[in-house]
Amino acid sequence: MSLASLILRNGKNGFGFGTTAEQVTAGLDLTGKSILVTGSTSGLGEATARVLSQRGARIFAAARTTEKAAALCRTLSGAPYPVACDLADPSSVLACVDDIARSGVVLDAIICNAGIMALPQLELAFGYEKQFFTNHIGHFLLVTRLLPQLAPRGRIVMVSSDAHRMAPRGGIDFENLSGEQSYTAWQAYGRSKIANLLFAKSLGQRLQPGQSANAVHPGVIMTNLQRSMSPFMRTMMQLGEPLFLKTVAQGAATQCYVAVHPSMTENGEYFADCNVRQPRRAARDRELAERLWQVSERIVAEVTGSAPVH
Ligand SMILES: NC(=O)c1ccc[n+]([C@@H]2O[C@H](COP(=O)([O-])OP(=O)(O)OC[C@H]3O[C@@H](n4cnc5c(N)ncnc54)[C@H](OP(=O)(O)O)[C@@H]3O)[C@@H](O)[C@H]2O)c1
């Protein structure tokens, strides 16, 4: 537990920086709930899947491959459902949607947790910068196609980051989605994370009354996410861990809170430390959110060879 956990005060709902996923779900009976978690094989996704399954939820555990998802499911309680979903591969995402639809499940929550961060060199997926494509477009395709499976009070949770503040001026540089005009690792990550926020905002407007879409910042936590960072940066993080960083259990708390807690009634908001937080101004720009939605629809149509669905 870091020093920050000890000195920062909790928010209005009694939860805060130091709250763990176990604590935020204590006393909840999630029996009968079905929850899809992407990136469930590592870090915050794994902790989220484990805690929610311990509370009785049936976890639909998405991972890059069926083997990885099945291995994770062997460690979860209940009757978890492994599903392959490589977010950087639209055919894999569509196969995942088909698999889940065929299962007949009604999803109470979709936790869009998978992500990659700060790739040192520009990498492309289908002609688009890979973090934007994986973190945003992959989840956009998955969620918009799964909406028919969402429960009447279903919740979408986009795991964003305070690193959305590193996105380019104006939020999204639509003319540079390939990254080929300019590329810096953190700006590209920030752009993908502001896209998660903007997606939650515009999705929240489109959902049925009772359903919600929100974005979260989990905190800063040592996980496999830092694999692309330089050894120097990783060492600095390790040194700062006892002072400022969260544990994985604390990092998973905000997404668990937004996905299942009965006191969570917001829609289109941004959460950190289990409470609403104000994101950067561009992340609150409805016109920008709408433009991103239209551009994402066009990209999805282009890479799947299909017509837009919403
Ligand atoms: N850790 C932090 O400090 C921090 C801070 C702010 C926000 N976040 C956000 O929190 C989320 C979880 O991060 P984490 O720290 O738990 O990282 P992590 O331990 O690296 O876990 C990321 C997960 O995403 C999966 N993933 C990566 N690429 C994928 C793809 N193409 N298709 C499907 N799944 C893919 C990974 O699968 P593999 O194991 O197969 O690679 C892994 O299960 C991310 O969205 C991240 O941006 C984290």
Side-chain angles (χ1 to χ4, degrees):
M1 185 172 293
S2 67
L3 182 65
S5 315
L6 300 174
I7 56 178
L8 290 173
R9 299 238 307 269
N10 285 351
K12 277 191 288 190
N13 56 14
F15 304 125
F17 184 101
T19 305
T20 63
E22 282 84 356
Q23 289 167 339
V24 89
T25 56
L28 299 185
D29 180 3
L30 302 181
T31 308
K33 304 274 184 204
S34 295
I35 300 178
L36 172 64
V37 184
T38 70
S40 60
T41 53
S42 170
L44 309 182
E46 184 178 3
T48 298
R50 183 174 41 74
V51 170
L52 297 180
S53 80
Q54 282 166 358
R55 301 289 180 232
R58 183 180 195 203
I59 300 300
F60 283 68
R64 271 199 258 224
T65 64
T66 315
E67 293 70 29
K68 280 189 157 192
L72 185 267
C73 284
R74 286 194 282 278
T75 71
L76 298 179
S77 314
Y81 189 102
V83 59
C85 181
D86 182 344
L87 291 161
D89 176 359
S91 64
S92 169
V93 178
L94 290 177
C96 167
V97 170
D98 279 353
D99 187 345
I100 290 174
R102 269 187 280 107
S103 79
V105 67
V106 174
L107 291 168
D108 295 284
I110 303 175
I111 305 179
C112 295
N113 161 86
I116 49 174
M117 181 176 82
L119 303 180
Q121 308 296 331
L122 173 62
E123 292 182 45
L124 297 181
F126 294 82
Y128 296 93
E129 191 281 319
K130 196 172 181 183
Q131 293 167 87
F132 178 79
F133 197 86
T134 305
N135 299 352
H136 170 60
I137 294 293
H139 279 128
F140 179 92
L141 175 60
L142 179 72
V143 170
T144 52
R145 298 291 169 104
L146 277 178
L147 289 181
Q149 311 302 130
L150 191 64
R153 303 197 63 77
R155 301 179 183 189
I156 309 291
V157 185
M158 299 305 305
V159 182
S160 176
S161 170
D162 249 15
H164 79 273
R165 299 178 200 279
M166 295 188 215
R169 188 192 294 268
I172 308 271
D173 46 350
F174 288 99
E175 69 294 346
N176 186 36
L177 294 180
S178 69
E180 282 164 339
Q181 285 181 19
S182 66
Y183 178 78
T184 60
W186 286 104
Q187 199 176 63
Y189 178 64
R191 180 175 66 183
S192 76
K193 291 287 139 180
I194 202 169
N196 289 154
L197 261 157
L198 291 163
F199 175 42
K201 197 160 262 318
S202 44
L203 181 61
Q205 299 263 296
R206 287 169 161 85
L207 291 173
Q208 302 298 320
Q211 297 176 327
S212 66
N214 291 288
V216 309
H217 168 57
V220 181
I221 308 103
M222 288 299 295
T223 62
N224 288 333
L225 193 69
Q226 287 86 24
R227 63 166 81 86
S228 302
M229 281 168 49
S230 67
F232 173 75
M233 287 279 283
R234 279 206 304 275
T235 306
M236 294 307 286
M237 272 189 78
Q238 274 154 358
L239 289 174
E241 193 173 13
L243 293 176
F244 309 116
L245 269 55
K246 289 188 179 186
T247 62
V248 169
Q250 290 169 334
T254 303
Q255 56 212 60
C256 288
Y257 174 78
V258 176
V260 301
H261 203 279
S263 75
M264 204 300 298
T265 53
E266 281 81 0
N267 182 27
E269 294 289 350
Y270 178 57
F271 287 76
D273 302 337
C274 303
N275 283 271
V276 172
R277 175 178 289 182
Q278 187 85 303
R280 183 182 148 178
R281 181 191 292 264
R284 290 175 270 138
D285 181 337
R286 289 196 187 283
E287 267 181 42
L288 183 66
E290 197 48 43
R291 185 171 176 205
L292 177 65
W293 185 287
Q294 300 306 333
V295 169
S296 304
E297 285 272 28
R298 185 179 51 67
I299 293 172
V300 159
E302 173 191 316
V303 298
T304 60
S306 63
V309 285
H310 290 94

